[in-house]
């Protein structure tokens, strides 16, 4: 990469004069700007390491879903360093040297440190560029390198032969910075996943990006969560979907897309037969948006996942959506309609869809208000369904009677492996109904009963079930008021050989040291313990209870070389 500078280290004559600079003149000199050319685009960098940029507007929400876990350098890039720092150091140092010889008080070491820091910034960017050339998965989220840094790094993507997944999330990139991809992504066929979430690029930035991606034949996953995207940007995305046949996964969560944007995306679905997954969580589709989307779904054959969590679609919206999905020519496997103000009336339409669906595997109705009536309708539908493996009914105001109806489904249905009833007041009676069935029936692997008001009696029912159940691996019992008595009941069950249970969550249960001692003794007593994770966070344990648990963990490792992670 070449750089052009208005100052040259080799052409500038050595200064022999000794100007008497005032302190204000000295600071003005430090603020003098130096320009350099990055990919034939002019960028202005100030002498204090700052860079001119368009101020970001709107909200800046950092979206954390689907980020790479690859461990990479964590040094943040605070500013873009100038390539002509040596020349600038020479110039300023000469003035400073002369000034100090004349008796001034210029802090010479501060000047050198300033430009040394800028040199480190450039070095950090070079290290980032090296990562893009060296690793298949690169996570540069939250490095704050901004538009100027992106112009610097985009060059590496232009010649990329390695990086397949790249995250530039939460870096202060604006619409102006997106232009860095022009001429780069069109020719890149190696990059498969690009994450720009949490950058305030807005509609203008999305329009620019979509124009660039029209001819891209590599990217299959595009993440644009929390980027201040509105209806105009959504329409640009819909135009991209009409022309690009390579994109498979699209995330537009937590933006400002309303009815008009939903309509545009629906039109795109009619003509696109390659998109597999669309995430529209946390937007403003409403009933009208759901209705528009339903019409697009009717003619689409490729969509497998639809995420509409938190769009306030209501009963009317869910009715239209279920009708559209019933006519959907493809095989939808994942449906998320949580937090959408759906009542028992809307649950009726969901139940009708469940009865006839042969492809749906994962259904989320979390945080609606279907109540007992709606839950019973869902339970009845599940008796006829042999496809759904995971169902989330958490936070729906479900009580013991409806929990008993759902439990009966599990007697004959061995397909369901995950049941989430958290945040429902099912109480001890509801827990007894479920656990009595799960002693010898069903195929539940994950059972979530957190915040269900189980109390000690509910804990006794769960403990009794664990003595016989051979399928449950993950058990969530958070915030149920189990206290020491409940913890002791569960500890007795942990002494029994259970080859399935690997994780138990007992956080927020008012458990004290006595309960912790009981659990510690159970771990020591069971040489064949299968549990690898116990969460006791946010209880009332002192150092004595914690010490007992730590000792039990170490004992298990010494005896069986098995790791038990205990959180408190």
């Amino acid at each position: 990469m070449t750089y052009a500078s208005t100052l040259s280290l080799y052409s500038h004559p050595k200064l022999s004069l000794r100007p008497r600079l005032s302190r204000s003149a000295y600071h003005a000199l430090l603020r003098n700007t130096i320009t350099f050319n990055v990919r034939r685009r002019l960028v202005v960098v100030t002498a204090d390491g700052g860079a001119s940029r368009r101020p970001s507007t709107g909200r800046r929400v950092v979206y954390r879903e689907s980020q790479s876990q690859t461990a990479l350098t964590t040094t943040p890039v605070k500013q873009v360093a100038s390539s002509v720092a040596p020349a600038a150091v020479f110039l300023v140092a000469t003035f400073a040297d002369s000034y100090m010889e004349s008796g001034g008080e210029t802090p010479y070491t501060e000047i050198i440190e300033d430009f040394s820091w800028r040199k480190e910034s450039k070095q950090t960017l070079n290290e980032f560029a090296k990562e893009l050339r060296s690793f298949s998965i690169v996570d540069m989220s939250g490095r704050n390198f901004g538009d100027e840094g992106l112009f610097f790094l985009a060059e590496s993507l232009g010649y990329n032969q390695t990086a397949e997944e790249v995250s530039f999330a939460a870096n202060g990139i604006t619409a102006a910075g997106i232009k860095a991809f022009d001429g780069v992504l069109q020719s890149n066929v190696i990059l498969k996943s690009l994450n720009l979430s949490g950058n305030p690029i807005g509609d203008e930035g999305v329009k620019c990006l979509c124009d660039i991606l029209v001819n891209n034949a590599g990217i299959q996953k595009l993440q644009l969560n929390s980027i201040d995207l509105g209806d105009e940007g959504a329409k640009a995305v819909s135009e991209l979907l009409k022309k690009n046949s390579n994109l498979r996964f699209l995330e537009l969560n937590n933006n400002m897309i309303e009815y008009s944007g939903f309509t545009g995306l629906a039109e795109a679905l009619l003509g696109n037969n390659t998109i597999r997954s669309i995430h529209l969580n946390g937007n403003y589709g409403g009933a009208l948006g759901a209705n528009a989307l339903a019409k697009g779904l009717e003619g689409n054959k490729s969509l497998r996942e639809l995420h509409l969590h938190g769009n306030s679609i209501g009963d009317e919206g869910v009715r239209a959506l279920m009708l559209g999905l019933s006519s959907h020519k493809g095989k939808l496997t994942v449906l998320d309609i949580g937090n959408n103000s759906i009542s028992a009336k809307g649950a009726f339409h969901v139940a009708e869809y469940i009865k006839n669906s042969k492809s749906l595997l994962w259904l989320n109705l979390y945080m609606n208000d279907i109540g007992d009536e709606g839950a019973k309708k869902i339970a009845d539908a599940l008796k006829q369904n042999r496809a759904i493996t995971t169902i989330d009914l958490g936070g729906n105001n479900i009580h013991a009677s409806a929990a008993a109806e759902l439990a009966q489904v599990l007697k004959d249905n061995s397909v369901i492996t995950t049941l989430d009833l958290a945040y429902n007041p099912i109480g001890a009676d509801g827990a007894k109904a479920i656990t009595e069935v799960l002693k010898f029936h069903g195929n539940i692997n994950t059972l979530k009963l957190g915040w269900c008001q189980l109390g000690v009696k509910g804990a006794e029912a769960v403990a009794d079930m664990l003595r016989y159940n051979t399928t449950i691996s993950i058990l969530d019992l958070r915030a149920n008021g189990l206290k020491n008595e409940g913890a002791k009941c569960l500890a007795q069950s942990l002494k029994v050989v259970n080859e399935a249970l690997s994780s138990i969550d007992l956080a927020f249960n008012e458990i004290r040291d006595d309960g912790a001692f009981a659990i510690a003794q159970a771990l020591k007593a069971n040489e064949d313990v299968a549990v690898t994770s116990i969460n006791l966070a946010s209880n009332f344990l002192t150092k004595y209870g914690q010490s007992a648990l730590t000792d039990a963990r170490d004992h298990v490792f010494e005896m069986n070389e098995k790791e038990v992670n205990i959180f408190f």
Side-chain angles (χ1 to χ4, degrees):
M1 187 181 296
T2 60
Y3 299 91
S5 171
T6 56
L7 298 176
S8 171
L9 176 61
Y10 303 103
S11 62
H12 200 286
K14 182 176 181 179
L15 300 178
S16 59
L17 298 177
R18 296 185 178 183
R20 293 186 177 276
L21 297 180
S22 65
R23 183 172 292 276
S24 61
Y26 158 70
H27 286 295
L29 176 61
L30 283 184
R31 290 194 296 271
N32 185 39
T33 58
I34 301 167
T35 60
F36 67 95
N37 193 305
V38 181
R39 284 181 50 78
R40 294 192 289 275
R41 292 178 173 82
L42 194 62
V43 179
V44 180
V45 178
T46 62
D48 63 356
S52 64
R53 67 174 67 177
R54 195 181 82 174
S56 60
T57 59
R59 60 181 178 169
R60 183 174 181 272
V61 182
V62 179
Y63 194 82
R64 303 180 180 272
E65 287 188 5
S66 305
Q67 289 188 359
S68 169
Q69 299 299 316
T70 304
L72 299 173
T73 177
T74 58
T75 305
V77 181
K78 296 182 178 179
Q79 301 288 351
V80 179
S82 169
S83 64
V84 293
V89 170
F90 175 84
L91 176 64
V92 178
T94 305
F95 274 111
D97 184 49
S98 300
Y99 185 44
M100 290 182 71
E101 288 179 12
S102 64
E105 297 179 354
T106 302
Y108 178 77
T109 55
E110 290 183 11
I111 303 174
I112 300 302
E113 288 174 0
D114 176 70
F115 285 101
S116 174
W117 171 76
R118 290 170 56 200
K119 184 178 180 180
E120 291 176 3
S121 297
K122 180 189 172 184
Q123 182 179 355
T124 304
L125 277 178
N126 282 326
E127 291 174 358
F128 288 174
K130 184 178 179 181
E131 289 180 19
L132 290 171
R133 297 190 296 269
S134 305
F135 301 100
S136 60
I137 300 175
V138 181
D139 182 7
M140 292 186 185
S141 58
R143 308 299 178 87
N144 197 33
F145 51 69
D147 293 341
E148 293 82 2
L150 184 59
F151 273 103
F152 186 96
L153 295 170
E155 187 78 18
S156 297
L157 287 178
Y159 299 98
N160 173 47
Q161 295 297 319
T162 305
E164 296 182 1
E165 299 180 22
V166 173
S167 174
F168 290 142
N171 274 295
I173 300 168
T174 70
I178 297 300
K179 296 176 183 177
F181 291 127
D182 192 13
V184 173
L185 295 183
Q186 288 95 330
S187 59
N188 188 319
V189 296
I190 303 298
L191 187 63
K192 305 300 180 186
S193 175
L194 177 63
N195 187 356
L196 291 170
S197 300
N199 290 297
I201 65 178
D203 288 343
E204 290 304 313
V206 171
K207 288 178 183 178
C208 177
L209 181 64
C210 289
D211 288 341
I212 294 171
L213 291 178
V214 165
N215 297 317
N216 175 273
I219 293 177
Q220 298 179 8
K221 183 176 184 178
L222 181 61
Q223 294 168 275
L224 300 174
N225 307 304
S226 305
I227 60 166
D228 297 333
L229 174 67
D231 286 342
E232 293 303 312
K235 291 177 182 178
V237 173
S238 69
E239 290 302 312
L240 173 65
L241 290 174
K242 292 176 183 177
K243 301 172 184 177
N244 184 305
S245 60
N246 196 61
L247 200 60
R248 300 288 190 274
F249 306 93
L250 177 63
E251 294 186 10
L252 302 174
N253 297 320
N254 300 331
N255 284 297
M256 299 174 288
I257 307 172
E258 299 183 16
Y259 165 67
S260 180
F262 271 70
T263 300
L265 292 170
E267 291 175 358
L269 286 176
L270 285 171
N272 183 299
N273 284 309
T274 55
I275 192 74
R276 296 297 181 89
S277 174
I278 291 183
H279 290 246
L280 289 165
N281 297 334
N283 282 285
Y284 301 91
L288 292 176
N291 186 66
L293 202 59
K295 294 178 181 178
L297 290 170
E298 290 181 10
N300 182 277
K301 298 179 181 179
S302 63
L303 196 66
R304 299 291 183 269
E305 297 186 15
L306 179 60
H307 299 262
L308 290 173
H309 193 104
N311 270 278
S312 301
I313 67 176
D315 292 335
E316 287 304 310
V318 81
R319 180 189 65 82
L321 191 63
M322 294 304 108
L323 287 174
L325 288 174
S326 296
S327 302
H328 179 58
K329 298 179 180 178
K331 294 181 178 180
L332 194 76
T333 59
V334 173
L335 178 62
D336 183 353
I337 48 176
N339 194 19
N340 268 300
S341 303
I342 300 171
S343 71
K345 182 179 179 181
F348 169 80
H349 301 294
V350 176
E352 290 301 306
Y353 174 67
I354 290 175
K355 289 178 182 178
N356 300 311
S357 174
K358 292 183 172 67
S359 63
L360 192 65
L361 303 176
W362 190 91
L363 175 63
N364 183 10
L365 280 165
Y366 175 77
M367 283 298 170
N368 283 293
D369 192 21
I370 67 173
D372 292 338
E373 182 183 354
K376 290 176 180 178
K377 290 175 180 176
I378 298 295
D380 184 60
L382 288 173
K383 292 176 182 178
Q384 303 178 45
N385 181 288
R386 288 297 182 272
I388 293 176
T389 62
T390 299
I391 184 162
D392 188 343
L393 297 173
N396 270 285
N397 197 28
I398 297 170
H399 296 80
S401 61
E405 293 270 353
L406 289 165
Q408 291 304 308
V409 173
L410 303 177
K411 271 190 174 181
D412 302 316
N413 188 323
S414 61
V415 177
I416 299 175
T417 57
T418 299
L419 176 62
D420 191 340
L421 288 174
Y423 299 96
N424 285 300
I426 65 172
D429 290 340
K432 289 177 182 178
I434 293 171
T435 55
E436 200 61 36
V437 171
L438 292 181
K439 277 184 181 180
F440 306 107
H441 301 282
N443 191 31
I444 296 295
N445 173 269
T446 300
L447 180 62
K448 296 186 178 182
L449 299 176
W451 285 270
C452 282
Q453 302 177 15
L454 303 190
V456 176
K457 292 296 183 182
E460 291 175 355
V462 173
D464 185 46
M465 172 197 70
L466 290 176
R467 291 186 175 91
Y468 305 96
N469 180 276
T470 59
T471 64
I472 294 177
S473 175
I474 299 172
L475 179 61
D476 182 357
L477 296 174
R478 286 175 293 172
N480 274 297
L482 304 186
K483 301 184 179 180
N484 284 336
E485 293 82 355
K488 291 176 181 179
C489 289
L490 292 167
Q492 289 299 317
S493 294
L494 290 179
K495 290 182 179 180
V496 179
V497 177
N498 186 315
E499 297 179 356
L501 187 65
S502 63
S503 173
I504 183 167
D505 197 335
L506 299 173
F508 301 98
N509 267 299
E510 304 174 48
I511 298 171
R512 299 181 184 273
D513 289 343
D514 285 350
F517 292 149
I519 293 173
Q521 290 301 314
L523 291 175
K524 288 183 176 181
N526 188 349
E527 295 182 358
D528 297 314
V529 63
V531 174
T532 58
S533 176
I534 300 177
N535 186 12
L536 285 163
S538 300
N539 282 293
F540 301 141
L541 308 185
T542 70
K543 61 181 180 181
Y544 300 108
Q546 294 174 4
S547 178
L549 290 167
T550 301
D551 182 58
R553 178 197 64 193
D554 294 342
H555 174 82
V556 171
F557 184 77
E558 290 174 6
M559 299 299 294
N560 305 315
E561 294 188 353
K562 292 181 180 179
E563 297 256 357
V564 180
N565 295 312
I566 303 178
F567 307 94
F568 40 73

